[in-house]
Amino acid sequence: MVKIQRFFIKYKRQILITITILLILAEIFKWVFKLTLLYQILMAVAGVIGVIPIILTAISSLKVKLISIDVLVSLAVIGAFIIGEFNEAAIVTWLFMLGEVLEDFTLKKTRSEVSDLASMAPQTALVVQEDGSTEEEDVDFIDSGDQVVVKTGDQVPVDGKIISGSGNLDEASINGESRLVNKGVGDAVYAGTMLENGNLTVETTAAGEDTTFGKIIEVVEEAEDSKSHTEKLINRFAKYYTPFILIIALIVGVITRNFKLAITIMVLGCPGALVIGVPVSTVAGIGNGAKNGIMFKGSQVMDEMRKVDEIAFDKTGTLTIGHPEVSAVRVLNGDKAKIIKLAAAIEKKSNHPLANTIAKMDPFVIDAVVETVKGEGVIATYEQEKYFVGNLQLVEENTKKNAELEKIADDLSSQGDSIVVFSNRDQSLLAIFGIKDQLRPQAKKALLKLKKLGIKKLVMLSGDKQQTAEKIATELPLDEVHGEQLPSDKATFIKAEQQKGNKVAFIGDGINDGPALASANVAIAVGNGTDVAVDVSDIVLVKNDLKQVAYAFSLSKRTILNMNENIALALLTVLILFIGLFVGYIEMASGMLVHELSILVVILNGMRLLKNR
């Protein structure tokens, strides 16, 4: 039976064409040559050919105790044969098969928008050999540190850093940005992007599935398989709805003794548009997000995102560009050069944006044991001495209170500087770094857009002192600003807001954002975030553009609205068909035509979501 099923699936289009020709010939013999017997024979043959794959699928579903649409149609067509309505049987099976072919075509078109991503993944790279020559190798065999050459017109095969050359890159496959980006030595490049002009030598940081592009494909493929709450509900509904229609048809047939009416009810009651309408919307919505640099980790995330009415932002790397610069170094005790050297060496072992800023001040490297204190900084042990690099709380808790240090910290904070304090155990080496970060250029516009879309409350949560946080936030349309927030404080804030009945999204990028991301109704990570932030998030903004948050919110609302439109359209079609049936305007074949058209309409409606912005 499996082989026969495969045959009918493989040659579905050819079989549809054959049935179509038989139907046309039958009509010609009836209306041109008045050969009614030949008309009936051709209709019967067409009906038999058409019903075989439907019956086989129905048997397969019954084996797993599922009464599917195919069961309804099979019973209806067999009933049509029994009462001698061969033309009804032929037309119903033809329409059913036509609907399947059209459904396959449109769904293939929808899914291709997503699968195109996978086909764009680079497969090989020109790897620099020890003698300086290059050799083409599979990307799966490339390790971190390997150097690869990218020439004009080539696809960048790995994630990495440019070590020589420069050029203009098309990064649309990663972040949806249509403009070319000029990059040179020291800049990061991503697998899947295109080098439009120039030549590059890139030192690999990630290859294959570990690249940003590889993760996008993985997340999108997983998201396609996930189901929203509505989708699960519809599937459960359809599971019970189909047997319900079967029972109704049986009861009507017994009471009215009208066998044709009973089998017509079976055909018209098929929930095809209801079953297909929801997944086509979610696949199209997720595909649109992927094309625009927004990774939704499942359709259920869209369902949650559209309900969000409050958004909390981490500051550094989220509302700010995340490339802060040291604006002041105030030394209270010790040699300034030595302090900078040690601070820079210790901060090299941290991935916090503020730490990276200090790390760039000196190339000195030490072999220290470093312990991260979440939300406070790091404690380093080097040559039997302990050093503390972080916020004021970390230093004073582990050394001693210092009034002068606190006064300088207040002064710098009032100027909008973030504070990093360096100290050893006895504060014989003591200094404070003032670090300034710039707001993202699009931050204000993005937040205003969110307000316009209906977000009621925008909040900034920062580890900086309250003065610093408020100073930075003065240019933004925020409703609340909370400074001196430890990771646990951010999570506590979110839970408190949820207890008030708010649906809260949190946007962050660092390890210290993990608890807040895990507590939020929707966790959003920006693309340059740490692996931890990206892993625990529900949505990843590949492009570091805050306007993508508004687009993700808008797209979620449009996708769920589209899904509900399809549900309403499917149910309305069934209702109208039954009304038409009982008032005498709809018959089996015409009802089946309307049914198949409704399936096509919901698919086309879902495909509207594939359009960019």
Side-chain angles (χ1 to χ4, degrees), residues 492-510:
T492 301
F493 174 85
I494 289 169
K495 289 174 183 173
E497 293 299 296
Q498 289 169 330
Q499 286 177 353
K500 295 176 187 173
N502 297 338
K503 293 284 185 181
V504 186
F506 180 79
I507 305 176
D509 70 330

Side-chain angles (χ1 to χ4, degrees), residues 299-318:
S299 53
Q300 77 283 358
V301 173
M302 289 184 149
D303 209 9
E304 284 295 316
M305 185 63 183
R306 74 181 175 96
K307 300 173 189 170
V308 165
D309 55 11
E310 177 177 345
I311 299 180
F313 296 84
D314 173 48
K315 179 183 70 69
T316 305
T318 306

Side-chain angles (χ1 to χ4, degrees), residues 126-272:
L126 287 174
V127 181
V128 179
Q129 307 298 306
E130 290 183 358
D131 61 0
S133 63
T134 58
E135 188 171 318
E136 188 169 351
E137 296 181 12
D138 193 306
V139 292
D140 291 332
F141 298 112
I142 296 176
D143 297 319
S144 293
D146 285 352
Q147 296 179 6
V148 301
V149 171
V150 188
K151 300 177 181 176
T152 298
D154 286 352
Q155 195 177 34
V156 178
V158 297
D159 282 1
K161 187 171 69 175
I162 300 172
I163 56 175
S164 71
S166 63
N168 291 321
L169 288 134
D170 178 354
E171 298 188 328
S173 60
I174 292 294
N175 55 30
E177 177 59 63
S178 57
R179 290 175 299 180
L180 297 180
V181 182
N182 184 264
K183 292 194 171 181
V185 175
D187 290 330
V189 292
Y190 304 98
T193 58
M194 295 294 295
L195 180 62
E196 296 295 336
N197 57 58
N199 286 284
L200 307 175
T201 302
V202 176
E203 185 175 277
T204 304
T205 56
E209 295 177 351
D210 297 327
T211 63
T212 301
F213 194 72
K215 289 177 181 175
I216 289 175
I217 294 170
E218 183 182 350
V219 168
V220 171
E221 287 177 343
E222 287 178 357
E224 275 192 70
D225 294 332
S226 69
K227 294 185 187 302
S228 67
H229 174 73
T230 306
E231 198 169 353
K232 291 174 184 173
L233 190 66
I234 289 299
N235 285 344
R236 283 202 297 272
F237 176 74
K239 184 178 176 183
Y240 295 105
Y241 169 85
T242 311
F244 172 74
I245 290 294
L246 196 58
I247 293 170
I248 291 293
L250 185 63
I251 292 172
V252 170
V254 170
I255 293 175
T256 64
R257 304 289 181 180
N258 187 338
F259 190 58
K260 184 175 182 181
L261 177 63
I263 60 177
T264 305
I265 289 173
M266 290 183 203
V267 172
L268 302 191
C270 294

Side-chain angles (χ1 to χ4, degrees), residues 101 106 120 170-171 182 206 208 236 255 275 305 310 356 367 376 414 435 467 472 499 502 561 577 607 609:
V101 170
T106 47
M120 289 163 60
D170 178 354
E171 298 188 328
N182 184 264
R236 283 202 297 272
I255 293 175
V275 173
M305 185 63 183
E310 177 177 345
N356 295 337
D367 185 19
E376 295 188 15
S414 65
I435 299 172
Q467 288 173 286
I472 292 169
Q499 286 177 353
N502 297 338
L561 175 63
L577 284 174
M607 289 178 70
L609 291 168

Side-chain angles (χ1 to χ4, degrees), residues 215 297 517 525 530-538 540:
K215 289 177 181 175
K297 292 184 179 177
L517 288 166
T530 61
D531 287 345
V532 173
V534 172
D535 286 346
V536 302
S537 65
D538 301 305
V540 179

